[in-house]
Short mmCIF file of all heavy atoms in Angstrom, two decimals:
data_model
loop_
_atom_site.label_atom_id
_atom_site.label_comp_id
_atom_site.label_asym_id
_atom_site.label_seq_id
_atom_site.Cartn_x
_atom_site.Cartn_y
_atom_site.Cartn_z
N CYS A 1 114.27 117.77 40.45
CA CYS A 1 114.71 116.79 41.45
C CYS A 1 114.73 115.35 40.96
O CYS A 1 115.09 114.45 41.72
CB CYS A 1 113.86 116.86 42.71
SG CYS A 1 113.67 118.49 43.43
N ALA A 2 114.38 115.08 39.71
CA ALA A 2 114.28 113.69 39.23
C ALA A 2 115.60 112.94 39.39
O ALA A 2 115.60 111.73 39.65
CB ALA A 2 113.83 113.67 37.78
N ALA A 3 116.72 113.64 39.26
CA ALA A 3 118.02 112.97 39.35
C ALA A 3 118.31 112.46 40.74
O ALA A 3 119.26 111.68 40.93
CB ALA A 3 119.14 113.94 38.92
N GLN A 4 117.50 112.84 41.74
CA GLN A 4 117.70 112.32 43.09
C GLN A 4 117.70 110.80 43.13
O GLN A 4 118.40 110.17 43.93
CB GLN A 4 116.60 112.85 44.01
CG GLN A 4 116.72 112.42 45.47
CD GLN A 4 117.89 113.08 46.16
OE1 GLN A 4 117.82 114.21 46.61
NE2 GLN A 4 119.00 112.36 46.29
N ARG A 5 116.92 110.18 42.23
CA ARG A 5 116.81 108.72 42.24
C ARG A 5 118.16 108.05 41.99
O ARG A 5 118.39 106.92 42.41
CB ARG A 5 115.78 108.25 41.22
CG ARG A 5 116.24 108.22 39.79
CD ARG A 5 115.13 107.94 38.83
NE ARG A 5 114.35 109.15 38.52
CZ ARG A 5 113.28 109.18 37.74
NH1 ARG A 5 112.81 108.07 37.21
NH2 ARG A 5 112.64 110.30 37.50
N LEU A 6 119.06 108.72 41.28
CA LEU A 6 120.38 108.16 41.03
C LEU A 6 121.18 108.01 42.33
O LEU A 6 122.11 107.20 42.38
CB LEU A 6 121.15 109.05 40.06
CG LEU A 6 120.59 109.20 38.65
CD1 LEU A 6 121.40 110.23 37.87
CD2 LEU A 6 120.60 107.86 37.92
N PHE A 7 120.85 108.77 43.34
CA PHE A 7 121.65 108.80 44.56
C PHE A 7 121.04 107.99 45.70
O PHE A 7 121.58 107.98 46.81
CB PHE A 7 121.85 110.26 45.01
CG PHE A 7 122.67 111.07 44.05
CD1 PHE A 7 122.10 111.67 42.94
CD2 PHE A 7 124.04 111.20 44.24
CE1 PHE A 7 122.86 112.39 42.03
CE2 PHE A 7 124.82 111.92 43.33
CZ PHE A 7 124.23 112.52 42.24
N LEU A 8 119.96 107.27 45.43
CA LEU A 8 119.32 106.49 46.50
C LEU A 8 120.25 105.44 47.11
O LEU A 8 120.25 105.24 48.32
CB LEU A 8 118.04 105.85 45.96
CG LEU A 8 116.95 106.82 45.50
CD1 LEU A 8 115.75 106.07 44.98
CD2 LEU A 8 116.54 107.77 46.63
N PRO A 9 121.06 104.72 46.30
CA PRO A 9 121.97 103.74 46.93
C PRO A 9 122.98 104.39 47.89
O PRO A 9 123.41 103.75 48.85
CB PRO A 9 122.70 103.12 45.73
CG PRO A 9 121.78 103.35 44.56
CD PRO A 9 121.15 104.68 44.83
N VAL A 10 123.33 105.64 47.61
CA VAL A 10 124.32 106.34 48.42
C VAL A 10 123.68 106.86 49.72
O VAL A 10 124.29 106.80 50.80
CB VAL A 10 124.92 107.52 47.64
CG1 VAL A 10 125.93 108.28 48.48
CG2 VAL A 10 125.54 107.03 46.34
N ILE A 11 122.46 107.36 49.63
CA ILE A 11 121.80 107.96 50.78
C ILE A 11 121.22 106.92 51.72
O ILE A 11 121.36 107.02 52.94
CB ILE A 11 120.69 108.92 50.30
CG1 ILE A 11 121.29 110.06 49.46
CG2 ILE A 11 119.90 109.49 51.49
CD1 ILE A 11 120.26 110.89 48.73
N LEU A 12 120.57 105.92 51.17
CA LEU A 12 119.88 104.91 52.01
C LEU A 12 120.80 103.73 52.30
O LEU A 12 120.57 102.60 51.91
CB LEU A 12 118.60 104.44 51.29
CG LEU A 12 117.59 105.53 50.96
CD1 LEU A 12 116.41 104.97 50.17
CD2 LEU A 12 117.10 106.23 52.24
N LYS A 13 121.85 104.03 53.03
CA LYS A 13 122.90 103.03 53.26
C LYS A 13 122.44 101.86 54.12
O LYS A 13 123.04 100.79 54.08
CB LYS A 13 124.11 103.72 53.93
CG LYS A 13 124.82 104.73 53.03
CD LYS A 13 126.04 105.29 53.71
CE LYS A 13 126.73 106.34 52.85
NZ LYS A 13 127.22 105.80 51.59
N ASP A 14 121.37 102.06 54.90
CA ASP A 14 120.91 100.99 55.77
C ASP A 14 119.76 100.20 55.14
O ASP A 14 119.17 99.35 55.81
CB ASP A 14 120.46 101.56 57.12
CG ASP A 14 119.34 102.59 56.98
OD1 ASP A 14 119.17 103.13 55.86
OD2 ASP A 14 118.65 102.87 57.98
N VAL A 15 119.44 100.47 53.87
CA VAL A 15 118.37 99.76 53.18
C VAL A 15 118.98 98.76 52.20
O VAL A 15 119.83 99.14 51.39
CB VAL A 15 117.46 100.75 52.41
CG1 VAL A 15 116.39 100.00 51.61
CG2 VAL A 15 116.81 101.73 53.40
N ASP A 16 118.55 97.51 52.30
CA ASP A 16 119.10 96.47 51.42
C ASP A 16 118.49 96.52 50.03
O ASP A 16 119.21 96.52 49.03
CB ASP A 16 118.86 95.10 52.04
CG ASP A 16 119.29 93.98 51.12
OD1 ASP A 16 120.52 93.84 50.89
OD2 ASP A 16 118.42 93.25 50.61
N SER A 17 117.16 96.55 49.94
CA SER A 17 116.47 96.56 48.65
C SER A 17 115.39 97.62 48.66
O SER A 17 114.85 97.98 49.71
CB SER A 17 115.87 95.19 48.34
OG SER A 17 116.88 94.22 48.22
N LEU A 18 115.04 98.12 47.45
CA LEU A 18 114.17 99.28 47.36
C LEU A 18 113.36 99.24 46.07
O LEU A 18 113.87 98.84 45.02
CB LEU A 18 115.03 100.55 47.38
CG LEU A 18 114.30 101.89 47.35
CD1 LEU A 18 113.68 102.19 48.71
CD2 LEU A 18 115.28 103.01 46.98
N LEU A 19 112.10 99.67 46.17
CA LEU A 19 111.29 99.92 44.98
C LEU A 19 111.13 101.41 44.85
O LEU A 19 110.55 102.07 45.71
CB LEU A 19 109.92 99.25 45.11
CG LEU A 19 108.93 99.53 43.97
CD1 LEU A 19 109.45 98.96 42.65
CD2 LEU A 19 107.55 98.98 44.29
N TYR A 20 111.67 101.97 43.75
CA TYR A 20 111.47 103.40 43.46
C TYR A 20 110.33 103.52 42.45
O TYR A 20 110.28 102.77 41.46
CB TYR A 20 112.73 104.04 42.87
CG TYR A 20 112.41 105.38 42.26
CD1 TYR A 20 112.41 106.54 43.04
CD2 TYR A 20 112.03 105.49 40.90
CE1 TYR A 20 112.05 107.75 42.49
CE2 TYR A 20 111.68 106.70 40.37
CZ TYR A 20 111.67 107.83 41.16
OH TYR A 20 111.29 109.03 40.64
N VAL A 21 109.45 104.49 42.67
CA VAL A 21 108.38 104.76 41.70
C VAL A 21 108.23 106.25 41.51
O VAL A 21 108.42 107.05 42.44
CB VAL A 21 107.02 104.15 42.14
CG1 VAL A 21 107.10 102.64 42.18
CG2 VAL A 21 106.56 104.70 43.47
N ASP A 22 107.86 106.66 40.30
CA ASP A 22 107.52 108.05 40.03
C ASP A 22 106.20 108.42 40.71
O ASP A 22 105.40 107.55 41.07
CB ASP A 22 107.37 108.27 38.52
CG ASP A 22 108.71 108.48 37.82
OD1 ASP A 22 109.73 108.65 38.52
OD2 ASP A 22 108.73 108.45 36.57
N THR A 23 105.97 109.71 40.84
CA THR A 23 104.78 110.18 41.53
C THR A 23 103.48 109.85 40.79
O THR A 23 102.42 109.77 41.39
CB THR A 23 104.82 111.70 41.72
OG1 THR A 23 104.92 112.34 40.43
CG2 THR A 23 106.04 112.10 42.55
N ASP A 24 103.54 109.62 39.47
CA ASP A 24 102.33 109.39 38.69
C ASP A 24 101.98 107.92 38.53
O ASP A 24 101.11 107.56 37.74
CB ASP A 24 102.44 110.04 37.31
CG ASP A 24 103.59 109.51 36.49
OD1 ASP A 24 104.40 108.70 37.00
OD2 ASP A 24 103.72 109.90 35.31
N VAL A 25 102.64 107.05 39.30
CA VAL A 25 102.29 105.63 39.29
C VAL A 25 101.06 105.40 40.17
O VAL A 25 100.88 106.04 41.21
CB VAL A 25 103.47 104.78 39.81
CG1 VAL A 25 103.04 103.36 40.12
CG2 VAL A 25 104.60 104.79 38.78
N LEU A 26 100.18 104.50 39.74
CA LEU A 26 99.02 104.12 40.53
C LEU A 26 99.01 102.60 40.67
O LEU A 26 99.03 101.88 39.67
CB LEU A 26 97.73 104.58 39.83
CG LEU A 26 96.43 104.35 40.61
CD1 LEU A 26 96.39 105.19 41.89
CD2 LEU A 26 95.24 104.66 39.71
N PHE A 27 99.01 102.11 41.91
CA PHE A 27 99.01 100.66 42.15
C PHE A 27 97.58 100.13 42.09
O PHE A 27 96.70 100.64 42.78
CB PHE A 27 99.64 100.35 43.50
CG PHE A 27 101.13 100.56 43.54
CD1 PHE A 27 101.67 101.77 43.98
CD2 PHE A 27 102.00 99.57 43.12
CE1 PHE A 27 103.04 101.97 44.00
CE2 PHE A 27 103.37 99.76 43.13
CZ PHE A 27 103.88 100.97 43.58
N LEU A 28 97.39 99.09 41.31
CA LEU A 28 96.09 98.43 41.20
C LEU A 28 96.15 96.99 41.70
O LEU A 28 95.18 96.24 41.53
CB LEU A 28 95.61 98.47 39.75
CG LEU A 28 95.42 99.87 39.15
CD1 LEU A 28 94.97 99.77 37.70
CD2 LEU A 28 94.43 100.68 39.96
N ARG A 29 97.28 96.62 42.25
CA ARG A 29 97.47 95.28 42.81
C ARG A 29 98.52 95.39 43.91
O ARG A 29 99.19 96.43 44.03
CB ARG A 29 97.92 94.29 41.71
CG ARG A 29 99.19 94.73 41.00
CD ARG A 29 99.41 93.95 39.72
NE ARG A 29 99.76 92.58 39.99
CZ ARG A 29 100.08 91.71 39.03
NH1 ARG A 29 100.05 92.08 37.76
NH2 ARG A 29 100.40 90.46 39.33
N PRO A 30 98.70 94.37 44.74
CA PRO A 30 99.64 94.49 45.86
C PRO A 30 101.08 94.82 45.41
O PRO A 30 101.57 94.26 44.43
CB PRO A 30 99.58 93.11 46.52
CG PRO A 30 98.24 92.58 46.15
CD PRO A 30 97.98 93.09 44.76
N VAL A 31 101.71 95.72 46.16
CA VAL A 31 103.12 96.01 45.91
C VAL A 31 103.96 94.76 46.08
O VAL A 31 105.01 94.62 45.45
CB VAL A 31 103.62 97.12 46.89
CG1 VAL A 31 105.02 97.56 46.53
CG2 VAL A 31 102.67 98.29 46.91
N ASP A 32 103.47 93.84 46.90
CA ASP A 32 104.17 92.58 47.14
C ASP A 32 104.47 91.85 45.83
O ASP A 32 105.48 91.14 45.73
CB ASP A 32 103.33 91.66 48.03
CG ASP A 32 102.76 92.39 49.22
OD1 ASP A 32 102.02 93.37 49.03
OD2 ASP A 32 103.03 91.96 50.35
N ASP A 33 103.59 91.99 44.83
CA ASP A 33 103.77 91.27 43.58
C ASP A 33 105.05 91.68 42.85
O ASP A 33 105.70 90.88 42.19
CB ASP A 33 102.56 91.49 42.66
CG ASP A 33 101.32 90.77 43.17
OD1 ASP A 33 101.44 89.98 44.12
OD2 ASP A 33 100.23 91.03 42.62
N ILE A 34 105.38 92.95 42.93
CA ILE A 34 106.60 93.43 42.28
C ILE A 34 107.81 93.19 43.20
O ILE A 34 108.91 92.90 42.73
CB ILE A 34 106.45 94.91 41.89
CG1 ILE A 34 107.22 95.21 40.62
CG2 ILE A 34 106.89 95.86 42.95
CD1 ILE A 34 106.93 96.60 40.05
#
């Protein structure tokens, strides 16, 4: 299913901006920073 990320602009038509992350990412600081 990794290729699903290629289709996010097409599917999420009502979303202006987006942060995509893989499942193995771990946040150690606010998401706001990115």
Side-chain angles (χ1 to χ4, degrees):
C1 308
Q4 181 71 81
R5 79 188 82 183
L6 296 174
F7 294 84
L8 297 179
V10 179
I11 298 169
L12 301 176
K13 294 184 182 298
D14 59 340
V15 176
D16 175 68
S17 296
L18 183 75
L19 176 64
Y20 166 86
V21 296
D22 278 349
T23 60
D24 60 355
V25 167
L26 184 65
F27 289 94
L28 300 179
R29 57 194 290 184
V31 187
D32 314 58
D33 289 351
I34 213 170

